[in-house]
Amino acid sequence: MKIIAADVIVTSPSRNFVTLKITTDEGVTGLGDATLNGRELAVAAYLTEHVVPLLIERDPHRIEDTWQFLYRSAYWRRGPVTMAAIAAVDMALWDIKGKVAGMPVYQLLGGASRTALQTYGHASGRDIPELFDSIRQHLEEGYKSIRVQTSVPGIKALYGVAAQAQATGERYDYEPAGRGPQPAEEDWDTRAYLRHVPTVFEAVRNEFGPEIPLLHDGHHRMTPIQAAKLGKSLEPYDLFWLEDCTPAENQDAFRLVRQHTTTPLAVGEVFNTVFDFQTLIREQLIDYVRAASTHFGGISPLKKVMDYAAQYQIKSGFHGPTDVSPVGLAAQTHLGLAIHNFGIQEYMEHSEATNTVFEQSMTFADGFLHPGDKPGLGIELNEEAAASFPYQQAYLPYNRLADGTVHDW
Ligand code: GCO
Ligand code: MG
């Protein structure tokens, strides 16, 4: 079998997605996700200009060899653009292999280790009553684990809080990234945040009791010692995890956090290779691997990092926001079903328009996600629908401190 074509499809149903479609001489096609939020066209160009020509005539069954070829032969390794492009190829080849074998990809990865994947949903609110409503709504929909984000008194706009939810009718209005030529500017005050967050968790525990697994995302905004302080002050509320408490380019920072708190730590949604996790895993500085198949080079390397993590009882918590397309989500859902050290899967429903473009065999019921049993990844791209949603420039917001300094994301 040979690859005869590879097409890059950019579509923007309610946010931008970049999809690679590989076609073989036998007519079998495979899909891969190459979406890099806010930098989508860089990956599209990397694929079109530099990867697609290399794929033509290759044997699609040689997934590992193709991955190593794209990674090593470029000389310029790693980075989010490169690794999102390689990810799309990797996923598309797994999709093809599954279709040829007549099996869902999870079967090729070792078969199911569980019946379905436990997920967590995103609850948020501008104040406590709005947050409680959001938590209740998620519980009613079957979610068993809940991420909790709220506004902070003194901070005007805060990422991760669906502030306009009721007004726009959109559930998660902070996704997609804001469309337009410039990113929205938000404000930030770490001291106000550190004072407020423990009071929110205290209120949530008082209202909903001790059982629900609760998560929180710090979006890389604290210094290591501030992160340590937050982890410590959240200990009474028994978090499932504290995510991205400090930027992790410097993996050593997690030593400092870890030595001060027993709150479980999750990190890695912006990581793109195993080297970003090397110290964190070997020194057992984290509890959950947050990488997404889309930004980490695909299913193949994500499986390897999870096997490495398994030696240290570290589990998966793959990144699953709406900017990971249904193809990327399916890829990691197959992997999550197969690996033994699965932890939890982040899940936000995609919009209706997105689901029209990406027809899915994935199912979500009672808080659990399953990739479905169609051969391959189980996603079909409706190209006509995709073409009706042209690309629109969009950026994630960023934030500045009171004196105008740009702060960490
Ligand atoms: C999460 C994330 C997202 C990211 C977004 C950036 O935990 O789901 O932090 O909300 O900010 O994916 O593109
Ligand atoms: Mg996050």
Side-chain angles (χ1 to χ4, degrees):
M1 195 155 64
K2 275 183 191 166
I3 295 172
I4 55 163
D7 299 290
V8 179
I9 296 120
V10 179
T11 178
S12 191
S14 6
R15 52 159 309 100
N16 294 314
F17 293 111
V18 179
T19 308
L20 178 71
K21 177 184 167 193
I22 295 182
T23 305
T24 67
D25 57 350
E26 293 178 15
V28 184
T29 59
L31 297 176
D33 180 23
T35 307
L36 188 61
N37 201 3
R39 296 293 184 274
E40 298 87 357
L41 298 186
V43 192
Y46 188 106
L47 281 166
T48 312
E49 305 295 330
H50 304 291
V51 174
V52 167
L54 303 177
L55 294 177
I56 308 302
E57 293 289 305
R58 289 184 71 86
D59 176 357
H61 278 308
R62 298 183 64 182
I63 301 177
E64 181 66 18
D65 182 66
T66 303
W67 195 97
Q68 299 296 344
F69 166 65
L70 292 175
Y71 182 78
R72 291 172 196 276
S73 73
Y75 187 70
W76 311 105
R77 299 183 185 187
R78 312 170 65 186
V81 175
T82 298
M83 299 314 290
I86 296 179
V89 176
D90 183 81
M91 285 178 208
L93 296 184
W94 278 107
D95 195 17
I96 290 171
K97 199 182 276 298
K99 286 179 183 170
V100 172
M103 286 183 182
V105 167
Y106 74 81
Q107 293 291 10
L108 307 178
L109 298 171
S113 287
R114 56 194 52 76
T115 46
L117 306 189
Q118 157 103 257
T119 63
Y120 72 88
H122 286 209
S124 68
R126 284 166 293 183
D127 52 27
I128 297 286
E130 205 174 273
L131 172 67
F132 284 1
D133 285 350
S134 176
I135 294 176
R136 266 185 215 107
Q137 195 190 341
H138 281 83
L139 293 173
E140 278 162 22
E141 286 165 19
Y143 283 100
K144 309 278 180 283
S145 307
I146 311 276
R147 185 181 99 157
V148 170
Q149 309 290 129
T150 55
S151 300
V152 174
I155 300 179
K156 289 194 277 299
L158 190 48
Y159 183 77
V161 177
Q164 303 306 319
Q166 281 111 348
T168 59
E170 289 271 344
R171 174 162 188 177
Y172 301 118
D173 72 337
Y174 53 97
E175 296 282 0
R179 291 178 169 184
Q182 289 288 331
E185 185 182 304
E186 298 183 342
D187 56 336
W188 180 250
D189 176 347
T190 310
R191 282 173 55 79
Y193 167 79
L194 291 177
R195 279 195 307 273
H196 186 63
V197 176
T199 68
V200 172
F201 278 89
E202 185 184 15
V204 172
R205 282 293 180 216
N206 286 341
E207 180 75 9
F208 294 93
E211 281 164 31
I212 308 170
L214 298 175
L215 302 84
H216 181 69
D217 191 347
H219 285 298
H220 309 108
R221 292 184 185 200
M222 287 160 274
T223 64
I225 199 70
Q226 289 168 338
K229 185 175 178 177
L230 182 63
K232 216 170 178 173
S233 58
L234 290 175
E235 278 171 22
Y237 314 113
D238 187 27
L239 263 61
F240 184 91
W241 80 34
L242 171 61
E243 172 186 345
D244 291 346
C245 59
T246 192
E249 284 101 328
N250 174 17
Q251 296 182 42
D252 292 348
F254 274 75
R255 284 200 197 107
L256 195 145
V257 182
R258 194 62 148 182
Q259 83 200 18
H260 287 290
T261 182
T262 56
T263 293
L265 302 174
V267 75
E269 66 181 52
V270 301
F271 291 1
N272 40 76
T273 71
V274 65
F275 298 104
D276 298 325
F277 281 111
Q278 199 173 38
T279 306
L280 296 176
I281 291 178
R282 193 183 55 231
E283 295 189 16
Q284 303 178 71
L285 302 178
I286 57 167
D287 303 279
Y288 295 92
V289 165
R290 283 285 288 150
S293 57
T294 307
H295 306 120
F296 201 73
I299 295 170
S300 306
L302 198 52
K303 172 141 180 29
K304 291 175 194 173
V305 83
M306 288 319 302
D307 288 341
Y308 172 41
Q311 297 176 49
Y312 302 96
Q313 302 186 52
I314 296 171
K315 295 185 176 182
S316 69
F318 302 146
H319 189 210
T322 52
D323 48 292
V324 167
S325 91
V327 180
L329 184 65
Q332 60 198 30
T333 302
H334 283 277
L335 182 60
L337 198 69
I339 56 174
H340 179 254
N341 55 334
F342 168 80
I344 200 163
Q345 175 61 53
E346 179 180 20
Y347 183 65
M348 296 169 81
E349 302 101 273
H350 282 104
S351 71
E352 251 179 72
T354 299
N355 293 340
T356 312
V357 172
F358 299 93
E359 293 155 12
Q360 306 161 33
S361 68
M362 250 178 314
T363 52
F364 176 71
D366 203 27
F368 286 85
L369 194 62
H370 191 281
D373 278 296
K374 280 212 181 121
L377 293 175
I379 309 282
E380 295 297 324
L381 182 70
N382 179 335
E383 292 188 49
E384 214 175 299
S388 68
F389 298 109
Y391 169 80
Q392 289 183 34
Q393 191 160 48
Y395 289 107
L396 286 160
Y398 78 110
N399 62 93
R400 288 185 188 271
L401 305 178
D403 70 355
T405 307
V406 174
H407 189 59
D408 283 310
W409 208 90

